[in-house]
Amino acid sequence: MPGELNVGAGERGRRPATIYDVARLAGVSHMTVSRYLRGTTGVGAESGRKVARAVALLDYRPNRMARIMRTRRSDRIAVILPDATGMMPTRLLTGAARAAHEAGYLLDLVALEGDAAARAERIHTLLRPEYVAGIVAFTPLHAWTGDRAPTEVAVPVVVDGEYDDNMRAQGVLADATPAAGIVRHLAALGHRRFLHVAGPQAWASARNRRAVYEATVAELGLESYGVAPGDWGAEAGRRAAGWLPGSGVTAVFAANDRTAFGVVQGLRELGIDVPGQVSVFGWDDDEIGRCLVPALSTVRVDRERQGGDAVRRLLALLNGQEPAAPPQAGALNQLVVRDSTGPAPQRAV
């Protein structure tokens, strides 16, 4: 019966788990397990969950050498990022690594250091099947591959999202659509006068959040007291809180959660209640924000899903399948309303 396989210490001590053990525990065929591990289509959501659970319980490890000999290709996937001196997208990489490991691949992180010639040489070295089975790039490759388009090289390539040389989000990664949802949500609670604490304007994500905020405030006929400068840090939010006494502002939209933490702290120091007098909304769903009092309203960005989906599209190419379309920005972002936002007060601060 499914779920009755003995996975105790005695069983695990005698031999490593096999694909047949996984299939028996999950209650599916070994071919279903094989398709799941290869990342191919044809595995239903429920079967996929059962296989994933069985793989975890059994600590199943695919036989790497057997697969390399059978497929005559590397068992490594390269993830290409720009110069790694900036902020690394850890949740993006967590999702990518999980999807790769579940399919029996190892993940190599490659940062494109040096000038254009050095970067081009590094990429051309990777575009050979003896080095990697495929590539997932979170930076555009056309500038470094010259006349050789990614579709013409020897290994499959998936380009997903964009970061610049300092790991600043670009393109879909910098989508600011939720900023409009934040303003609309607060307006529905009766707020009419707002303050935005921005991120550093060298970042496309910060510029976009500010632009959408300003456009939505204007569209709804609301008032913006202004935009306070910020640097993604809590101290900038704390300083911005000092703008609020006498301003008539009842709602603050901070460009990220750390800045929002600073706003809440600054308001507390001024004796201003959150959300009784001022509502505060952040962005990122930082784990600490869930533990604050009040818990922080925020935007949850599913970077792990994005990283995993990018690798799964590559796995589909590796197996001759048509990859699924990448998730739209809206599918990656979700407003999470918690205790730091509430109805507008009768009297502003």
Side-chain angles (χ1 to χ4, degrees), residues 123-124 127 141-157 159:
I123 290 176
H124 284 305
L127 297 176
L141 297 183
H142 57 80
W144 319 116
T145 53
D147 295 332
R148 294 172 61 185
T151 54
E152 298 169 351
V153 298
V155 300
V157 177
V159 180

Side-chain angles (χ1 to χ4, degrees), residues 213-222:
Y213 159 79
E214 292 177 329
T216 308
V217 166
E219 176 190 342
L220 297 179
L222 305 172

Side-chain angles (χ1 to χ4, degrees), residues 164-332:
D164 69 12
D165 285 352
N166 292 311
M167 292 310 304
R168 295 178 294 210
Q170 307 285 326
V172 68
L173 294 178
D175 176 70
T177 304
I182 291 171
V183 174
R184 292 180 184 280
H185 171 75
L186 292 168
L189 292 173
H191 296 277
R192 292 295 177 265
R193 193 161 171 81
F194 293 73
L195 174 72
H196 176 49
V197 188
Q201 295 302 286
W203 294 63
S205 49
R207 294 195 303 272
N208 293 348
R209 289 169 200 179
R210 173 177 178 168
V212 173
Y213 159 79
E214 292 177 329
T216 308
V217 166
E219 176 190 342
L220 297 179
L222 305 172
E223 294 183 70
S224 176
Y225 184 63
V227 176
D231 57 6
W232 300 131
E235 184 57 30
R238 185 171 172 273
R239 289 195 303 268
W243 291 29
L244 297 184
S247 68
V249 169
T250 63
V252 177
F253 163 38
N256 74 330
D257 282 353
R258 290 188 180 183
T259 301
F261 300 160
V263 172
V264 172
Q265 178 60 31
L267 291 174
R268 181 176 290 119
E269 292 170 0
L270 291 168
I272 298 173
D273 181 64
V274 178
Q277 294 173 277
V278 175
S279 289
V280 179
F281 218 111
W283 191 301
D284 280 338
D285 195 22
D286 190 301
E287 184 177 357
I288 296 174
R290 306 170 204 173
C291 304
L292 285 182
V293 179
L296 186 66
S297 294
T298 188
V299 176
R300 179 177 297 147
V301 185
D302 197 347
R303 295 287 184 245
E304 289 190 25
R305 174 186 169 185
Q306 182 182 8
D309 283 352
V311 169
R312 282 185 282 272
R313 293 201 302 279
L314 178 66
L315 294 171
L317 291 174
L318 287 170
N319 291 284
Q321 304 290 328
E322 183 70 24
Q328 297 298 307
L332 297 172

Side-chain angles (χ1 to χ4, degrees), residues 7 11 38 55 77 109 111 144 148 196 232 256 276 283 310 341 344:
V7 294
E11 172 70 14
R38 293 198 309 270
V55 167
I77 291 172
L109 182 61
W144 319 116
R148 294 172 61 185
H196 176 49
W232 300 131
N256 74 330
W283 191 301
T341 52

Side-chain angles (χ1 to χ4, degrees), residues 118-131:
R119 293 177 179 217
E121 179 61 29
R122 182 73 171 120
I123 290 176
H124 284 305
T125 298
L126 288 173
L127 297 176
R128 296 163 59 180
E130 62 265 36
Y131 290 110

